[in-house]
Amino acid sequence: MLYEFSFPPNEKTPRLARRALDGQLAYLGPDAESRMRLAMSEIVTNAIRHGHLAPGEPVDVRIDLTDGGARVEVRQPTRAEAAIRTPGGDEGGLGLQLIDELTQSWGVEPGPPGIVWFEISASAEPGEATK
Amino acid sequence: MSAETTPIVQTHDHVCLIYWGETSRRPVLLQWAREGLAAGEGTVLIEPPSNGDALVELIGDDADPLIVVDPGTLYASGDDGAVLAERLHRAATSVDGDKAPVARMSVPAAYALAVHDERTHLEHERAFARIVEERPVAMLCQYDQVSIDGALIARAAEEHEIVVQLDDLALSTLDMRPTDDGVRLSGEIDLANHDIVRSWMSRHRGRRLLVDCSNLTFLDVAGLRALTAWATEDTPLVLEHLNGAPARLLSALPLGSVPAHVAVARTTS
């Protein structure tokens, strides 16, 4: 099942993006669901904080749910390169390590448009599968 | 008042209610007023007449004892915070002369900010905090995130014992309040409230804190930093009852990146 959302770039957006998945993720198992919410929220937050988006420039989120897991793409009209490095405003590269820990695989297409994507497998521990 | 309704305020509560637009504020304000009226408390709404009349009509027959104070008259006098708080308190406690001394006051910040600068407003908030501590009253101070500067809201949060943030459907997204040995957090901490959390936590600087996270349903990296910003070696922070996504965040963080002087208490259940 493919879901596509377009959000305005403001401080409410990370919560809206998490809400968009309400009721859809239980089949992944609680751990994968938590990891989905965390990874998506951090990536959307960073698109907003570091993406230099103008008020009319949306953050597009595409969520593809399959039996085996989920693939999420967060797209912004600007370059995405810097964003993923800095979740939480940390300049030390914590973001990369966190996304790596939470997901089975991920990547950045700097753009523009910039895309950050990740995949999470249902009921699998991260770091074991498709790396 | 039905048994299922959770009281919005209790005596001595000083609540900072942060909301998204008038429609999300109104249901909370109505419940707040109805509770006060049902309990026979002197209940004061600071609202311009148009708004006040609409609220009185929604409350219906029970609204008789409700006192609506026009912010135009209230703030125009240029009183300092202490005098202002005193005047509010007098208004709330002198209904017919035979009301219980308990009172509750609703104070939307927007009206004060239309008249005063931000510094004066924050001084008023500090005076309100003192009067709530000393007298048997409760205050519901309201901040609209649509129209009031976010930095000011964050600073105002520090002056309040309790902070509640609502989304645009009037559902609570964050609730922070003190407990005997620390603080209790409910809801979600993310980009929409980092600054508020950091500011409010500064109230509790200088003591060892147990942070009850039983009902914390989301926490991002910046939220964790905001929450733990004031922890020191002598006054560490212990995160208790972490579960769900917040627990997953802590376990996913690379070794050494959890802020210093923060401990996670493992839940036994």
Side-chain angles (χ1 to χ4, degrees):
Chain A
M1 186 76 81
L2 183 65
Y3 299 89
E4 291 181 281
F5 304 93
S6 193
F7 297 108
N10 65 47
E11 65 206 75
K12 286 194 284 185
T13 300
R15 187 173 54 81
L16 289 178
R18 299 196 301 273
R19 280 293 97 78
L21 301 174
D22 275 358
Q24 304 294 324
L25 301 178
Y27 78 97
L28 294 173
D31 184 68
E33 183 172 353
S34 289
R35 289 186 282 118
M36 273 283 283
R37 288 183 191 282
L38 283 164
M40 193 167 72
S41 196
E42 292 291 347
I43 291 168
V44 170
T45 296
N46 284 288
I48 292 163
R49 288 182 75 166
H50 305 293
H52 305 290
L53 298 172
E57 293 184 314
V59 176
D60 295 320
V61 178
R62 188 184 156 102
I63 303 159
D64 194 2
L65 299 179
T66 61
D67 289 346
R71 178 187 165 91
V72 176
E73 269 184 32
V74 177
R75 177 191 292 253
Q76 62 195 76
T78 52
R79 281 181 71 82
E81 200 170 31
I84 189 71
R85 298 210 179 96
T86 58
D90 185 341
E91 304 306 322
L94 176 58
L96 289 172
Q97 292 180 57
L98 182 65
I99 300 301
D100 198 58
E101 174 69 23
L102 292 170
T103 65
Q104 262 73 42
S105 56
W106 60 276
V108 181
E109 296 166 26
I115 295 172
V116 182
W117 63 269
F118 66 86
E119 290 176 339
I120 281 177
S121 304
S123 65
E125 285 307 305
E128 291 174 1
T130 57
K131 291 278 165 69
Chain B
M1 189 173 66
S2 77
E4 294 79 39
T5 310
T6 310
I8 294 176
V9 292
Q10 298 177 5
T11 308
H12 298 303
D13 280 356
H14 189 212
V15 181
C16 183
L17 181 77
I18 302 165
Y19 62 96
W20 284 95
E22 182 65 19
T23 49
S24 72
R25 173 179 83 115
R26 192 156 288 196
V28 177
L29 196 59
L30 282 173
Q31 190 192 330
W32 172 92
R34 285 186 175 122
E35 275 174 22
L37 294 167
E41 297 177 3
T43 301
V44 174
L45 284 174
I46 296 174
E47 297 287 342
S50 55
N51 237 357
D53 290 350
L55 287 161
V56 164
E57 195 172 328
L58 284 166
I59 292 167
D61 293 345
D62 299 334
D64 265 359
L66 192 67
I67 305 166
V68 182
V69 178
D70 185 347
T73 1
L74 185 74
Y75 293 114
S77 62
D79 289 339
D80 68 19
V83 175
L84 193 67
E86 181 63 40
R87 205 137 61 84
L88 271 173
H89 183 245
R90 218 168 34 237
T93 50
S94 60
V95 198
D96 298 336
D98 62 350
K99 294 287 171 194
V102 183
R104 53 177 66 203
M105 304 185 241
S106 150
V107 189
Y111 304 133
L113 288 164
V115 180
H116 298 302
D117 60 25
E118 295 185 353
R119 199 172 135 232
T120 308
H121 175 71
L122 290 172
E123 282 168 9
H124 286 180
E125 285 288 20
R126 278 188 281 278
F128 293 164
R130 281 194 298 276
I131 205 166
V132 168
E133 204 173 298
E134 292 162 5
R135 314 274 179 87
V137 295
M139 287 190 74
L140 187 66
C141 303
Q142 301 159 44
Y143 288 82
D144 187 352
Q145 281 196 283
V146 176
S147 62
I148 298 176
D149 176 58
L152 175 68
I153 296 178
R155 284 172 63 203
E158 186 184 346
E159 307 299 336
H160 293 78
E161 182 191 22
I162 297 170
V163 171
V164 176
Q165 184 189 37
L166 308 176
D167 68 8
D168 41 10
L169 299 174
L171 299 171
S172 172
T173 50
L174 179 67
D175 185 314
M176 307 189 288
R177 55 187 72 212
T179 58
D180 288 344
D181 46 14
V183 298
R184 185 168 68 235
L185 307 171
S186 308
E188 303 174 304
I189 300 178
D190 69 1
L191 185 62
N193 52 33
H194 292 156
D195 295 346
I196 295 165
V197 170
R198 180 184 298 265
S199 174
W200 185 77
M201 287 301 291
S202 76
R203 283 176 69 84
H204 300 279
R205 260 182 292 195
R207 54 188 281 234
R208 182 176 186 275
L209 283 184
L210 289 180
V211 183
D212 181 349
C213 300
S214 310
N215 296 314
L216 184 68
T217 53
F218 191 82
L219 177 67
D220 68 3
V221 175
L224 178 66
R225 292 192 191 292
L227 190 58
T228 58
W230 315 104
T232 67
E233 190 174 355
D234 294 330
T235 59
L237 197 74
V238 181
L239 303 176
E240 284 190 308
H241 311 306
L242 274 169
N243 63 88
R248 196 63 183 81
L249 172 70
L250 268 293
S251 67
L253 282 177
L255 226 59
S257 64
V258 175
H261 316 304
V262 174
V264 177
R266 295 291 165 198
T267 313
T268 46
S269 60

